Amino acid sequence: MKNPDHSSNGQSRREFIKNAAIASSFFIVPRHVLGGTGFTSPSDQLNLAAIGAGGKGASDIELASVNGRERVVALCDVDFSGSAKRSVERFPSAKLYADYREMLDKEKDIDALTISTPDHVHGPAAKYAMERGKHVYVQKPMTHNIREARMLTELARKQKVVTQMGNQGGSNPLLKLVQQWVDEDRIGPVSKVQIWTNRPVWPQGGPFPKPDPSSKPDALGWDLWLGPAPEIPYTPNLHPFNWRGWWDYGTGALGDVGCHLIDIPFRTLGLHYPTSAECSVGSVYSQMWTADYNPDGCPASSLITINFAATEKSKSPIEMTWMDGGIRPPHPDIIPADHDIGGANSANGVLIIGSKGIISTNINDSSPLMPKLYLNDGTVEIGPQTEEGFEREYGHQRLWVDACKAGFGSTEHKGLTSSFDYAGPMTETVLMGNLAIRSYMLRRENAKGQMEFYGRKKLLWDGDKMLITNFEDANQFVGRTYRKGFEV
């Protein structure tokens, strides 16, 4: 699709903003004369919009506005009666829309958008915006499936737009300490990584809720909320949050915090596409001898093993294990028994295990990273256990805005910690865990008339081709089908 012009002379607004400083010396009075120190001329402001203005979307667009330094011109949400009201009150001049397609078609001067919807809308909304030349900040996980992540990564390069995924911990300055420990070979060659979380902390693992059209809130645009997912009657207990545990809309525990936890070793060890994945999931029994079977939703708990080839940083193949549902690894002998592993109460964490020692960290969102180094010789180094003096969410949204203003390929753009060039492959790794879970739950009737699970095997992955090479039925989960009008 050809990009529409964003001004009458064919010059885009972002090119205008980049060149404004040069031009201003000829026809604009200096900003400090007009508005005082810190004043930003309207010609230097980005026009921002939000797709998803409530919940996390409210803080994303707030932080992207940089305390009013940038201009928020439009807000899109399927329900402005809930937490999205906060954004309406904060940006009273912004135009309101329910359908992001209508907003982008009408508001030609939008330069950049935050996208903070349920997971299943990330890909369609980001694609629609990027095709129109808009910079995008997309909440984690970047997409709902692997195919979408690859497509958006390639589209960002093609369209030359500045991108950032909303795993704000990737901009945490304390990650440099963890990187330093690895780069200085403090723990020796790494062969194993263990990751765990207390998620899900929402209803997950049970039967899909029953529809009840009579209970739909008047303010909710249900059809637009469904977006690319199959059309169903209004179903309570999905909007605004409990969608996370259902495959049509969410990506489970991995989608919730995988981009915060897996990010740490993926970034630190220079990992790329996995080579294989396998898993097992916890069973729930509502009756004797027959496990509940709810393939529409994510399991209550899972153990996933993802393997990677050697990299320049790791030097040897790496086995990464992921545990959710409150399951965690055993306490390593070299870590004192009275020390938490990972974060507080060992609820979430990462262990990077080398031949000479272990690095332990907490989840990498806006929680304290709590980096710790334990060596086999008894050496212990404790990094900061609290985080003070950092910009809110480590400036993750502001850095993206600054890069949008500097332009594609700029130093600011190359300095982003989660542009799609990085976030795309990392998200694919996160979503590979979900592909393994869904394959594990495949079942069919055998010759004896019994239901058998036939996908419970190690899956071999060709990352370049996005293909499971030893079990064709698993490839159906690389992408998804889409309702008309929301295709990716």
Side-chain angles (χ1 to χ4, degrees):
M1 179 180 291
K2 183 178 179 181
N3 289 337
D5 290 340
H6 300 306
S7 63
S8 58
N9 65 359
Q11 180 189 40
S12 70
R13 271 188 46 84
R14 64 172 176 267
E15 287 299 319
F16 176 79
I17 290 171
K18 283 176 60 180
N19 296 324
I22 298 173
S24 65
S25 63
F26 298 102
F27 63 84
I28 296 178
V29 177
R31 283 174 290 167
H32 70 272
V33 174
L34 292 175
T37 303
F39 173 75
T40 301
S41 168
S43 63
D44 289 342
Q45 290 181 306
L46 282 185
N47 282 343
L48 297 175
I51 302 176
K56 191 69 186 75
S59 60
D60 281 340
I61 190 62
E62 175 192 355
L63 293 174
S65 73
V66 196
N67 296 315
R69 191 188 75 183
E70 312 303 333
R71 182 190 301 111
V72 177
V73 299
L75 300 169
C76 177
D77 203 283
V78 297
D79 182 5
F80 280 106
S81 69
S83 59
K85 287 191 295 185
R86 169 180 159 190
S87 295
V88 176
E89 293 167 356
R90 180 170 283 111
F91 306 109
S93 298
K95 296 180 180 178
L96 305 184
Y97 292 89
D99 189 331
Y100 65 81
R101 298 166 300 183
E102 179 186 4
M103 178 181 74
L104 284 163
D105 289 345
K106 287 185 176 180
E107 303 296 328
K108 304 292 187 182
D109 284 340
I110 292 172
D111 298 306
L113 301 97
T114 59
I115 300 174
S116 313
T117 63
D119 301 347
H120 68 306
V121 181
H122 289 183
K127 177 176 179 286
Y128 201 87
M130 293 163 68
E131 287 176 336
R132 286 152 181 77
K134 314 302 183 184
H135 306 299
V136 294
Y137 178 101
V138 183
Q139 254 309 316
K140 53 77 192 167
M142 178 177 146
T143 58
H144 182 263
N145 58 67
I146 292 170
R147 174 182 164 274
E148 289 179 350
R150 186 71 59 89
M151 287 184 67
L152 293 192
T153 300
E154 294 172 352
L155 184 60
R157 298 188 194 116
K158 177 183 176 182
Q159 295 295 96
K160 292 181 168 51
V161 294
V162 176
T163 56
Q164 180 97 302
M165 182 172 72
N167 59 321
Q168 62 271 13
S171 294
N172 188 335
L174 290 181
L175 271 179
K176 294 178 181 178
L177 176 59
V178 177
Q179 187 72 68
Q180 178 183 330
W181 286 338
V182 170
D183 290 349
E184 292 177 351
D185 198 35
R186 297 292 300 279
I187 62 172
V190 174
S191 60
K192 184 174 292 188
V193 173
Q194 295 179 325
I195 305 171
W196 68 99
T197 178
N198 61 354
R199 269 69 159 190
V201 293
W202 51 85
Q204 187 167 299
F208 192 76
K210 295 180 179 180
D212 181 9
S214 67
S215 65
K216 187 188 81 67
D218 292 339
L220 173 62
W222 176 244
D223 186 71
L224 291 172
W225 186 90
L226 288 173
E231 184 177 357
I232 62 171
Y234 173 74
T235 302
N237 301 315
L238 294 179
H239 171 78
F241 186 79
N242 288 341
W243 49 266
R244 194 173 295 278
W246 304 106
W247 293 124
D248 276 340
Y249 322 110
T251 48
L254 274 158
D256 182 53
V257 293
C259 291
H260 293 310
L261 287 159
I262 291 175
D263 172 55
I264 299 169
F266 197 90
R267 182 185 303 276
T268 303
L269 299 173
L271 300 178
H272 198 47
Y273 301 140
T275 58
S276 66
E278 59 184 315
C279 80
S280 59
V281 306
S283 297
V284 176
Y285 286 79
S286 298
Q287 56 181 320
M288 289 288 290
W289 300 109
T290 303
D292 295 353
Y293 183 62
N294 298 299
D296 293 336
C298 313
S301 61
S302 67
L303 168 64
I304 300 165
T305 302
I306 301 176
N307 292 290
F308 300 86
T311 70
E312 183 178 343
K313 288 182 178 290
S314 63
K315 308 298 183 184
S316 64
I318 290 181
E319 176 190 272
M320 176 187 292
T321 56
W322 164 277
M323 290 155 271
D324 60 39
I327 301 170
R328 67 175 180 85
H331 203 103
D333 289 340
I334 66 171
I335 298 181
D338 59 350
H339 285 204
D340 289 331
I341 58 172
N345 299 315
S346 304
N348 300 274
V350 175
L351 296 178
I352 303 175
I353 303 170
S355 61
K356 297 189 293 187
I358 296 174
I359 295 172
S360 168
T361 78
N362 191 12
I363 187 174
N364 191 25
D365 50 4
S366 294
S367 306
L369 186 62
M370 303 171 69
K372 303 173 188 176
L373 174 70
Y374 301 91
L375 301 184
N376 295 343
D377 65 8
T379 299
V380 177
E381 293 186 19
I382 307 295
Q385 298 298 285
T386 59
E387 295 174 356
E388 298 177 1
F390 290 160
E391 188 175 351
R392 187 176 164 195
E393 295 199 3
Y394 314 111
H396 200 60
Q397 295 89 345
R398 177 191 59 77
L399 290 165
W400 166 71
V401 166
D402 291 347
C404 291
K405 297 174 82 167
F408 183 88
S410 64
T411 299
E412 291 84 349
H413 177 212
K414 294 176 181 178
L416 292 176
T417 58
S418 284
S419 71
F420 287 2
D421 282 330
Y422 168 80
M426 194 266 281
T427 298
E428 289 187 35
T429 295
V430 172
L431 298 176
M432 177 58 62
N434 282 339
L435 185 151
I437 291 172
R438 300 191 75 178
S439 177
Y440 185 87
M441 295 307 295
L442 287 173
R443 71 178 188 177
R444 64 188 175 193
E445 187 174 324
N446 62 21
K448 297 180 181 179
Q450 300 168 330
M451 299 303 295
E452 65 176 7
F453 292 94
Y454 67 103
R456 298 187 171 182
K457 59 185 69 181
K458 185 174 186 176
L459 303 175
L460 304 181
W461 179 244
D462 184 330
D464 290 331
K465 295 180 179 178
M466 291 191 295
L467 184 71
I468 298 293
T469 60
N470 66 325
F471 183 49
E472 178 57 35
D473 281 7
N475 286 308
Q476 66 185 289
F477 304 121
V478 173
R480 72 172 302 164
T481 57
Y482 299 86
R483 280 205 303 158
K484 186 177 180 180
F486 298 94
E487 298 89 352
V488 175

